[in-house]
Amino acid sequence: MAFIVQKYGGTSVGNPERIRNVARRVADSKKEGHKIVVVVSAMSGVTDGLIKLAREVNPDATAREMDVLLATGEQQTIALTALALHGIGVPAVSLTGAQAGIVTDKMHTKAKIANITPRKVHEHLDAGQVVVVAGFQGQNPDGSITTLGRGGSDLTAIAMAAALKADLCEIYTDVDGVYTADPRIVPHAKKIQELSYDEMLELASLGAKVMQARSVEFAKKFKVKFVVRSSFNHNPGTIITEEHSDMEDVVIRGVSLDKNQAKVTIIGVPDKPGVAAGLFGALAEAGTNVDMIVQNVSLEGTTDMTFTIARDDLRTAKKVIEAQVAAIGAKSYTAKDGISKLSVVGIGMRSHTGVAATLFAALAGAGINIQVVTTSEIKISVIVNEDEGPRATQVVHDAFKLGA
Ligand code: ASP
Ligand code: MG
């Protein structure tokens, strides 16, 4: 017998038939002798619909009331899932986040989990019931309802698994797992059997579509083993777990492509202490996350500095950059979207040589220009033109022989 937390996302509970399908899957797991806690999201489209509704009533809706409203999405699904389980003779009970003992901080709409006291969950489990917990929500110490940020049901599931000391957390979604590349770009991409937490985090553009990054970080911190798999078939999925030595045998685990990128170059930056601190300090204050940073050698006392940010942040960042260019006495700046970041990821990189050479040769062979390069211990990223991103992904994926 294993203790399993199963999380079903919005598409997996998207209509009554799918909710009944979830109930059958839960019933099967229970029949196999496992102890089951189910975490569900709102039915697909419901959260977006509620946000739209609130805006129509008041475009400046307060965060506290948004949380009261948004939490109703998951509250519908827990009741419906429990009812579906009753319908096939499985004893089940629904619990809101607060009832399940999830306490958060006070940051409405993006609250962090502070602690979980799952006393009620244990009571119901001990009584032989399946416990269906609302994802994405908790309550703050004042007793107000909070939500955990978009995609937050993943976090509920991982955190519940940690608090309950479950053996496994199963994240059910509408894809079969994490692939060596986006299968829409590389049709012969393969499903990855096993990944380390760090690889999952670095494969952001592949991973983020199936799972919220914050919940992967949480899983890493509390060593929660989880599997990402589809609720529409019985394929085994991708296991994400602690690193072990066999994992390094594979040089590259996958290739990800992130289109949400913009590149900024500041030209004629005076080469003296404090300049970078001022510029990046101002960007951080404006809430802009800077990703890659490259500084050239200086010629005649000035240098050029290039960095990348999320494309969505470019508009706000531009105002900060313009002010900083003036403040630090730089000559000018250029800002460019229409670029993509391609990354090859794998912990095997630490013990294998020639990864960068293979990557660069593949891109060169395809006539694709590299604009910026950065490396970390388990990742090499390059910036290429957006329109060359898909082809770059294909040639790199082939060069590392990742396909089926
Ligand atoms: N229903 C919430 C959302 O759409 C939480 C979740 O689905 O994980 O963001
Ligand atoms: Mg979701």
Side-chain angles (χ1 to χ4, degrees):
M1 187 198 88
F3 186 0
I4 304 173
V5 174
Q6 299 187 335
K7 182 256 171 178
Y8 292 91
T11 46
S12 297
V13 292
N15 60 44
E17 177 45 37
R18 288 182 176 180
I19 293 175
R20 284 200 300 268
N21 170 56
V22 164
R24 281 191 296 271
R25 295 188 75 111
V26 173
D28 288 344
S29 301
K30 197 161 190 302
K31 253 182 242 146
E32 283 167 30
H34 303 312
K35 192 153 81 169
I36 310 289
V37 169
V38 180
V39 173
V40 287
S41 294
M43 296 166 76
S44 51
V46 166
T47 308
D48 288 333
L50 291 170
I51 292 172
K52 193 164 157 274
L53 206 56
R55 286 210 184 111
E56 279 169 23
V57 174
N58 180 350
D60 299 316
T62 60
R64 185 190 182 283
E65 301 313 323
M66 283 310 287
D67 277 351
V68 174
L69 181 66
L70 295 189
T72 63
E74 272 70 12
Q75 202 171 322
Q76 293 177 1
T77 327
I78 51 170
L80 293 168
T81 305
L83 288 172
L85 284 162
H86 296 168
I88 53 172
V90 179
V93 62
S94 64
L95 295 179
T96 64
Q99 289 169 337
I102 300 174
V103 176
T104 71
D105 64 13
K106 293 187 181 180
M107 282 296 280
H108 282 292
T109 74
K110 41 180 178 293
K112 290 203 168 65
I113 294 178
N115 60 71
I116 301 182
T117 314
R119 191 174 45 81
K120 273 232 149 57
V121 178
H122 282 300
E123 274 172 25
H124 289 293
L125 285 171
D126 291 347
Q129 290 169 307
V130 169
V131 183
V132 187
V133 177
F136 176 58
Q137 55 171 268
Q139 79 177 345
N140 69 23
D142 297 340
S144 297
I145 297 172
T146 50
T147 64
L148 307 174
R150 296 307 304 268
S153 297
D154 289 335
L155 185 60
T156 304
I158 297 285
M160 262 296 160
L164 294 167
K165 301 191 173 57
D167 301 303
L168 179 66
C169 183
E170 298 178 335
I171 305 286
Y172 284 98
T173 175
D174 51 1
V175 295
D176 272 7
V178 182
Y179 281 74
T180 50
D182 185 338
R184 287 169 304 184
I185 299 173
V186 184
H188 58 285
K190 260 197 322 211
K191 188 172 67 197
I192 303 171
Q193 273 183 11
E194 197 181 46
L195 279 170
S196 70
Y197 298 117
D198 286 328
E199 288 172 328
M200 179 73 172
L201 283 166
E202 293 290 12
L203 282 170
S205 78
L206 299 176
K209 274 179 221 135
V210 288
M211 230 181 134
Q212 194 206 34
R214 236 174 96 192
S215 51
V216 181
E217 277 159 15
F218 197 101
K220 180 185 173 189
K221 193 164 161 195
F222 293 97
K223 301 185 170 55
V224 177
K225 178 173 161 182
F226 65 93
V227 56
V228 175
R229 53 185 297 194
S230 169
S231 65
F232 302 121
N233 60 46
H234 286 87
N235 299 339
T238 301
I239 293 168
I240 295 91
T241 183
E242 276 187 283
E243 208 177 304
H244 56 78
S245 55
D246 292 358
M247 283 181 171
E248 286 202 24
D249 294 348
V250 179
V251 185
I252 293 300
R253 198 73 63 185
V255 185
S256 74
L257 185 68
D258 183 358
K259 285 204 244 179
N260 181 21
Q261 292 279 317
K263 184 177 80 171
V264 178
T265 299
I266 315 232
I267 301 155
V269 180
D271 190 17
K272 59 179 187 212
V275 168
L279 170 65
F280 294 114
L283 285 167
E285 223 165 273
T288 303
N289 227 326
V290 176
D291 182 12
M292 308 162 109
I293 303 177
V294 183
Q295 184 182 324
N296 268 341
V297 284
S298 67
L299 287 172
E300 286 155 18
T302 65
T303 182
D304 295 343
M305 207 179 257
T306 297
F307 56 91
T308 61
I309 59 176
R311 194 176 296 179
D312 305 337
D313 288 343
L314 188 55
R315 251 167 50 133
T316 33
K318 266 187 178 171
K319 292 191 195 103
V320 179
I321 293 162
E322 263 159 40
Q324 282 297 313
V325 165
I328 63 184
K331 209 187 292 155
S332 59
Y333 81 97
T334 61
K336 182 175 179 308
D337 48 18
I339 55 160
S340 291
K341 179 174 73 172
L342 177 148
S343 305
V344 294
V345 174
I347 56 176
M349 236 181 252
R350 294 194 294 236
S351 49
H352 291 80
T353 55
V355 175
T358 304
L359 169 64
F360 297 156
L363 294 172
I368 295 168
N369 189 42
I370 300 168
Q371 301 177 26
V372 184
V373 184
T374 58
T375 63
S376 79
E377 207 188 8
I378 66 162
K379 178 172 84 165
I380 303 177
S381 300
V382 297
I383 293 291
V384 299
N385 266 336
E386 182 176 0
D387 52 11
E388 292 179 326
R391 205 161 51 87
T393 307
Q394 289 155 3
V395 297
V396 170
H397 191 267
D398 286 348
F400 286 101
K401 303 186 175 62
L402 295 173

